[in-house]
Amino acid sequence: MSKKLTSRAADYSKWYNELVVKADLAENSAVRGCMVIKPYGYAIWEKMQAELDKMFKETGHQNAYFPLFVPKSLFEAEEKNAEGFAKECAIVTHYRLQNDPDKPGKLRVDPEAKLEEELIVRPTSEAIIWNTYRGWIQSYRDLPILVNQWANVVRWEMRTRLFLRTAEFLWQEGHTAHETKQEALDEAALMNNVYATFVEKFMAIPVVQGLKTESERFAGAVETFCIEALMQDGKALQAGTSHFLGQNFAKAFDVKYVNKEGKQDHVWATSWGVSTRLMGALIMTHSDDNGLVLPPSLAPNQVVIVPIYKSEEQLKAITNVVNGIMSDLRKKGITVKYDNRTTHRPGAKFAQHELQGVPVRLAIGARDLENGTVELARRDTLTKETVELNKLTKTVESLMTEIQESLFNKALNFRNTHTTEVDTFEDFKTVLETKTGFISAHWDGTSETEDKIKELTKATIRCIPLDAKEETGVCVYSGKPSKRRVLFAKAY
Amino acid sequence: MSKKLTSRAADYSKWYNELVVKADLAENSAVRGCMVIKPYGYAIWEKMQAELDKMFKETGHQNAYFPLFVPKSLFEAEEKNAEGFAKECAIVTHYRLQNDPDKPGKLRVDPEAKLEEELIVRPTSEAIIWNTYRGWIQSYRDLPILVNQWANVVRWEMRTRLFLRTAEFLWQEGHTAHETKQEALDEAALMNNVYATFVEKFMAIPVVQGLKTESERFAGAVETFCIEALMQDGKALQAGTSHFLGQNFAKAFDVKYVNKEGKQDHVWATSWGVSTRLMGALIMTHSDDNGLVLPPSLAPNQVVIVPIYKSEEQLKAITNVVNGIMSDLRKKGITVKYDNRTTHRPGAKFAQHELQGVPVRLAIGARDLENGTVELARRDTLTKETVELNKLTKTVESLMTEIQESLFNKALNFRNTHTTEVDTFEDFKTVLETKTGFISAHWDGTSETEDKIKELTKATIRCIPLDAKEETGVCVYSGKPSKRRVLFAKAY
């Protein structure tokens, strides 16, 4: 397999698929639509998990675990939610295999081992969790419940792509219960903000926080908050959602509490989630034609060191220096790997680490030893410089911050130059076809117009930005009055 | 629901079930045999995961993630493995629900959405992983592969018990590939030793390391290493297993590599796992009639502080002192929680923390403020003492070690006094019925004898201890010659 990637300009979609596989992030499996997350890809996901988990705990949440399966009768209890997921769920109907009498050595489903009630493999866990919460909640003293779960979920998607849309994916789903509507609304907004902070600070991806329109809302939600990011091909990607569920699930599962005044009421709910889809966003935001580009905050190895030697003696001398460098960097909390494999040449190592997006690569050869220097290559800018050994730790340390900020600013600049205010439908279509990106336009607030625009242009309303200012205008399509601009884009 | 537990003496099994639920560790769900792991129980599991994960990484392993589903044709490829799990696996046959034409508002399985090939929900992942490894391994340069996965698995058990045996459980499964038989054997032994170290050091449970007999081996393994622990009712519990798989899976999935001499050969494999079953072992080893007893290493809160006050003013003064205590304890790395809930009285708080096994409870009242003291209650011994404030941090710090060691020693002492060497089958039966525990006896090495003993006594061979010394003897049942003693017990 050639190491060279298809360029983004030639075929963005092919570039992405090749990059994911060649950088050892993930690959397709023998199960239709399900991926294998390879160790290097999983190491990045683990870093994301660790940061998110910390943020969830800092905001008062605890982890728990609920069953993988949802009995059909529970699944269908909240009608809109059921309707939203019914068409794409994997269903367990039997619980035993037996020897196939017609095919020696083969197994078949034992027809006698049919479940009394089918089990749905969770596409999301509101149903099973709210059925459980009924037993946990009696009085206001039991509230709020602030629970998160790290889990796998299954949605039988017909067209799948590694990380972006897979039949099985990994995610976290928060499910909270509250006394009042306001408290639940605040929670939904808070967690959307946690997502925004995480994605901007750790993933170096700028996001727009907003609300979904009715037709883009989560099935069963009253209001869906979201964060939307813009990829390098000008398409938007929904990076996380946080739902205010009102009393829909509490009513469907009869979850009531007695308030301080002794009156009974249904509780108020939220749910919120981000998934391995974030890996797709990370890859598509920063990477280039040479491969993955990782922000230092999420790189499994922030620095890699490659020795360049012609003799065992040289290698020994280099290794001596490298040990000192590694010890100094580690004291600063920087993760560093010494790539002293004897099975690969330096050129092959350089290529691999570039493809895998290691933020900083150091190379040390005989000349460097003499001069007391190191060659430092920066992945995001593809620049090289020679650094004096005694300045190396400081240089690398400040580079960690600089690269992180630089990646964010580059992505922000891209988004800014790819967000266009338009006031006519002609301009709307022209921008979509030429410049792409976010289009900020007035909309009359109806699903009819939204559908029509989607039908004509494939663009959808990504969100009504939380910071959208009141502004009198007319809908870009219908000409009807509008009070604020919304963000349109073609989306993943 | 009464807070008082059934005593162990009255009904050990009932005691266990009640404790798990009342201490808020886990509960049964609406899905047959599947449990909900509640936040407090999950917090303990998280601590176990964190320690194990660290140990896996220190021994060179990386995490990855493989699909939840195994296509039937892959599942049946390794015959013994398939046979071992065929009778207890959940099977996905369809991928869509539709509105039920006969029952308005209800859903039914869409008969047209039948999968071409059934998918087995993984009971263990050898099949899907070895099918993947075929693509990862070409030459010795690709070896060893040292991969672990944290995941949920499903085994459709007919009789389930919270943590001990559930249809779905959480676990980790390591799957490694090696150049040589010896390397794979060493890996299997190494990981069994990692498990033993973890269980003894962190869970404070002494274990016997040993090998399983042929009939107790993992389906598809050539050799199964295990760690066996003894519960307070004298029954053994298999706490972890590590399998040397030989070339069985490599052959079933055609995974070959080219060695340094250019010759092709199948690779050698291991797999190893521990699960949420460890939670059951933890509970059953240390807990008492008052509830859970946790070793400090795994307690979500190592210390809890309860204020005892009659006025807001008193509470304020107490809180002032508590803030200082918490800050001092946290500096020593001790996790501490201030239980200043206004919704519960001190007595209720004491009862809850006792039930939930918090290792050390501190109480501070007005009298303590005057005297500069704190009341310290130790959960494992149920003893109380008054400690001077200026000696508190030191006292608590050394208690953390002392309690951890004391729990281990208590369990070790129990095991020692419940391990009996017997030389006649009469004694064997008598010990089983009276003293219970491990029985160390000679066995002729045949499955026939093993089966017969099981049939007559319900005791199985838990393991052939790794440290069993060569000793001439005769089988306790058949009278045939034997070279070493093995460990029998009734088991979970």
Side-chain angles (χ1 to χ4, degrees), chain A residues 13 105 293-294 323 380 428:
Chain A
S13 169
V293 174
L294 286 175
N323 286 337
D380 63 330
F428 188 105

Side-chain angles (χ1 to χ4, degrees), chain A residues 27 29-31 34-40 42-43 46 53 57 62-76 79 82-83 86-98 100 105-110 115 118-122 128 131-132 135-136 140-141 147 150 152 154 156 158 168 170 343-344, chain B residues 27 29-31 34-40 42-43 46 53 57 62-76 79 82-83 86-98 100 105-110 115 118-122 128 131-132 135-136 140-141 147 150 152 154 156 158 168 170 343-344:
Chain A
E27 64 185 39
S29 77
V31 190
C34 292
M35 67 182 158
V36 171
I37 307 179
K38 299 184 76 173
Y40 192 65
Y42 200 84
E46 270 183 331
D53 198 71
K57 283 175 177 156
Q62 294 180 293
N63 290 327
Y65 188 76
F66 298 86
L68 170 67
F69 300 126
V70 188
K72 187 170 76 64
S73 57
L74 294 185
F75 182 81
E76 64 197 4
E79 247 178 88
E83 199 182 293
K87 285 182 189 127
E88 51 180 35
C89 54
I91 306 157
V92 175
T93 58
H94 293 73
Y95 60 85
R96 193 165 60 220
L97 292 167
Q98 61 178 193
D100 190 331
K106 301 287 178 185
L107 298 168
R108 67 164 193 190
V109 174
D110 180 348
L115 291 171
E118 294 91 352
L119 298 173
I120 315 304
V121 182
R122 61 181 167 216
I128 189 77
N131 186 62
T132 307
W136 293 9
Y140 70 93
R141 285 185 199 86
V147 163
W150 289 96
N152 52 344
V154 172
W156 211 255
M158 279 302 144
E168 181 193 15
L170 303 183
T343 44
H344 295 70
Chain B
E27 64 185 38
S29 77
V31 189
C34 293
M35 66 181 157
V36 171
I37 306 179
K38 299 185 76 173
Y40 191 65
Y42 200 84
E46 270 182 330
D53 199 70
K57 283 174 178 156
Q62 294 179 293
N63 290 327
Y65 188 76
F66 298 86
L68 170 66
F69 301 124
V70 187
K72 188 171 73 68
S73 57
L74 293 185
F75 181 82
E76 65 196 4
E79 248 179 88
E83 198 181 295
K87 285 183 190 127
E88 51 180 34
C89 54
I91 306 156
V92 175
T93 57
H94 292 73
Y95 59 85
R96 193 165 60 219
L97 292 168
Q98 62 178 193
D100 191 331
K106 300 287 178 184
L107 298 168
R108 69 164 194 191
V109 174
D110 180 348
L115 292 171
E118 295 91 352
L119 298 173
I120 314 306
V121 182
R122 63 182 164 214
I128 189 77
N131 186 60
T132 307
W136 294 8
Y140 71 91
R141 286 185 198 85
V147 163
W150 290 96
N152 53 344
V154 172
W156 211 255
M158 279 302 143
E168 181 194 14
L170 303 183
T343 44
H344 296 69

Side-chain angles (χ1 to χ4, degrees), chain A residues 416-431:
Chain A
N416 288 342
T417 55
H418 288 77
T419 300
T420 317
E421 283 199 3
V422 307
D423 292 314
T424 70
F425 199 54
E426 276 317 300
D427 286 354
F428 188 105
K429 287 186 286 187
T430 308
V431 170

Side-chain angles (χ1 to χ4, degrees), chain A residues 166-181:
Chain A
T166 47
E168 181 193 15
F169 55 90
L170 303 183
W171 79 345
Q172 60 67 219
E173 45 182 326
H175 294 273
T176 70
H178 305 267
E179 285 184 66
T180 66
K181 179 179 175 180

Side-chain angles (χ1 to χ4, degrees), chain B residues 332 400 418 460:
Chain B
K332 298 288 177 186
M400 292 297 110
H418 288 77
T460 50

Side-chain angles (χ1 to χ4, degrees), chain A residues 129-314:
Chain A
I129 288 181
W130 278 90
N131 186 62
T132 307
Y133 281 179
R134 188 175 52 248
W136 293 9
I137 299 170
Q138 277 90 43
S139 104
Y140 70 93
R141 285 185 199 86
D142 304 317
L143 297 172
I145 290 182
L146 303 172
V147 163
N148 175 63
Q149 152 168 293
W150 289 96
N152 52 344
V153 285
V154 172
R155 296 178 187 176
W156 211 255
E157 307 272 3
M158 279 302 144
R159 310 176 102 216
T160 60
R161 290 187 69 190
L162 292 167
F163 290 124
L164 294 172
R165 198 173 291 277
T166 47
E168 181 193 15
F169 55 90
L170 303 183
W171 79 345
Q172 60 67 219
E173 45 182 326
H175 294 273
T176 70
H178 305 267
E179 285 184 66
T180 66
K181 179 179 175 180
Q182 190 57 47
E183 202 184 301
L185 265 168
D186 290 348
E187 164 81 5
L190 172 73
M191 297 320 289
N192 201 60
N193 197 50
V194 163
Y195 289 155
T197 305
F198 168 75
V199 173
E200 297 205 327
K201 194 168 160 198
F202 291 92
M203 300 180 68
I205 303 176
V207 292
V208 179
Q209 288 199 56
L211 288 169
K212 287 287 180 194
T213 60
E214 195 184 343
S215 63
E216 296 276 335
R217 243 174 240 155
F218 176 73
V222 176
E223 198 76 270
T224 288
F225 292 83
C226 65
I227 53 172
E228 295 283 330
L230 195 63
M231 304 295 101
Q232 288 182 67
D233 61 347
K235 283 170 78 175
L237 185 141
Q238 174 182 299
T241 48
S242 180
H243 316 292
F244 167 62
L245 303 172
Q247 296 176 311
N248 291 349
F249 285 90
K251 283 178 181 165
F253 291 94
D254 196 28
V255 185
K256 289 180 190 165
Y257 79 105
V258 177
N259 68 17
K260 287 178 188 108
E261 288 74 43
K263 238 190 82 187
Q264 219 181 31
D265 194 9
H266 287 105
V267 304
W268 298 84
T270 82
S271 68
W272 29 275
V274 295
S275 74
T276 36
R277 190 166 211 236
L278 284 179
M279 290 287 295
L282 183 72
I283 296 160
M284 287 204 296
T285 301
H286 305 302
S287 303
D288 62 23
D289 291 350
N290 294 8
L292 191 64
V293 174
L294 286 175
S297 289
L298 295 177
N301 301 307
Q302 296 174 312
V303 177
V304 66
I305 308 178
V306 178
I308 298 166
Y309 56 95
K310 286 178 184 138
S311 67
E312 275 302 309
E313 205 182 339
Q314 273 183 11

